[in-house]
Amino acid sequence: MLENRHCRAEKKMASSVQRALQLLAGKWKCVILFHLLDGTARFSELRRRVPAITQRTLTNQLRDLERDGLVERRVYAQVPARVEYTISPFGQTLAPILRALQGWGEHFEERLCDLEPQSPCGDNPPAPSSAGPLPLFDSSQTR
């Protein structure tokens, strides 16, 4: 009986992680949300902040984020149309997670650049890494 409860609890936790990751699935969603933590941005501003993203992909990712309630879109009735994006209160709940990812990425930047096939860290091809898996990260180390 106790074992059954334990299995159900583990499945429920795994299911929660899966649902959360479904909301954030997409190569650029976390990056977009991270940039919106700084405040409202127009489409063109986001495009400048994330130069590797295509216009179509940015549009689709923003639509998904809006549909899922993580981003709010405001259209101003003017010519040309002005559209602004803001992280929603629900999206703001991801701020600690996004900041922790930022800290983790900064802490392991060199290692992460070695793993990235088309590294934004430089034009040199990545050197093979002989080190083992990444150690667990404690976000309190970056404060």
Side-chain angles (χ1 to χ4, degrees):
M1 179 90 142
L2 183 60
E3 200 171 303
N4 238 353
R5 283 188 206 160
H6 181 67
C7 287
R8 281 196 303 263
E10 279 186 12
K11 285 180 184 177
K12 185 176 180 181
M13 284 188 291
S15 163
S16 298
V17 169
Q18 184 177 6
R19 284 193 309 272
L21 288 176
Q22 284 174 341
L23 285 179
L24 300 173
K27 183 175 181 178
W28 301 106
K29 286 183 182 178
C30 287
V31 175
I32 294 165
L33 288 169
F34 179 79
H35 285 295
L36 290 175
L37 288 176
D38 292 336
T40 299
R42 294 178 71 173
F43 184 90
S44 58
E45 291 174 71
L46 289 170
R47 189 86 161 88
R48 276 191 299 276
R49 291 180 187 177
V50 190
I53 194 170
T54 65
Q55 183 169 335
R56 180 175 186 224
T57 300
L58 179 57
T59 299
N60 290 335
Q61 300 280 275
L62 284 166
R63 283 182 185 155
D64 289 350
L65 290 166
E66 182 185 8
R67 180 198 64 219
D68 294 333
L70 296 169
V71 166
E72 295 171 350
R73 178 177 182 257
R74 183 161 184 194
V75 181
Y76 294 88
Q78 63 186 52
V79 177
R82 185 173 117 207
V83 180
E84 293 181 341
Y85 296 91
T86 307
I87 194 165
S88 70
F90 178 50
Q92 281 286 347
T93 63
L94 290 167
I97 296 163
L98 296 170
R99 297 274 186 226
L101 276 171
Q102 175 194 21
W104 185 83
E106 287 172 355
H107 188 77
F108 293 106
E109 187 169 4
E110 186 177 312
R111 177 76 183 270
L112 294 172
C113 287
D114 286 347
L115 297 174
E116 185 65 34
Q118 295 168 334
S119 174
C121 307
D123 294 334
N124 299 331
S129 177
S130 60
L134 292 173
L136 293 175
F137 179 70
D138 177 7
S139 63
S140 66
Q141 295 172 355
T142 62
R143 292 182 190 185

